[in-house]
Amino acid sequence: MTEYTRGSGFGRFVLIIILLLIVAVAGVWYYNKTHVVTAGDQVGKAVDALPAVVSKAADEATDKDNIDKVGDALKDTGQAASSALSKTGKVTSSAVSETSTDLKAKADKQKAQNAQDQKG
C-alpha cells in the first residue's frame, strides 16, 4: 500500500509539470499570435535608436578616461609584444647555434670517415 501512495504522489507531480508546460507553451503561443511585429517595425525601431547610440558612442570615444585606458592598453600590448619578440629571438638564436654546431660536428665526422675510406 505504501508503494502505491508513493507512485500516486509521483504521478501527480508529473501531471503538474506537464500541465505547467502546457500552460507555458500556450502562453507563449498566445503572446506571439497577438503580438505581431513586422520587419518594417524592427527597422523603424533601429533607425529611431540610431542617433542615441551614435551620440553615446561619440561621448565614450571622446571621454578622457577611455582614451587614457586605450593608450595604456596599447602601451602594455607593445611592451608585451616587444618582450615576446625578444624571447623568441633568443630562443631562435640558441636553436640556430645548436643546429650549426651539430651540422659542423656531422660534417667533421663525415670528412674523417671519407679520409679513412680513402686510406683503406
Side-chain angles (χ1 to χ4, degrees):
M1 188 83 151
T2 308
E3 289 180 35
Y4 182 71
T5 306
R6 264 195 264 166
S8 176
F10 179 73
R12 282 190 209 151
F13 177 73
V14 171
L15 182 63
I16 290 171
I17 295 296
I18 291 172
L19 289 175
L20 287 174
L21 286 173
I22 290 171
V23 169
V25 169
V28 170
W29 174 80
Y30 181 75
Y31 175 77
N32 286 333
K33 181 181 173 194
T34 60
H35 189 295
V36 177
V37 179
T38 64
D41 293 339
Q42 292 289 347
V43 171
K45 287 179 185 178
V47 169
D48 290 342
L50 188 62
V53 172
V54 170
S55 175
K56 182 178 178 186
D59 290 344
E60 289 177 2
T62 57
D63 185 21
K64 183 170 175 20
D65 290 338
N66 286 340
I67 292 171
D68 290 343
K69 287 179 187 175
V70 169
D72 291 343
L74 286 173
K75 181 179 164 188
D76 292 345
T77 302
Q79 288 174 348
S82 174
S83 175
L85 283 174
S86 176
K87 288 177 184 176
T88 302
K90 288 177 185 176
V91 169
T92 302
S93 175
S94 174
V96 167
S97 176
E98 289 175 10
T99 303
S100 177
T101 303
D102 289 346
L103 287 175
K104 186 176 183 310
K106 288 188 190 262
D108 290 344
K109 184 177 177 182
Q110 186 65 41
K111 284 181 187 176
Q113 183 69 33
N114 289 344
Q116 189 178 17
D117 288 345
Q118 286 180 356
K119 285 183 184 178

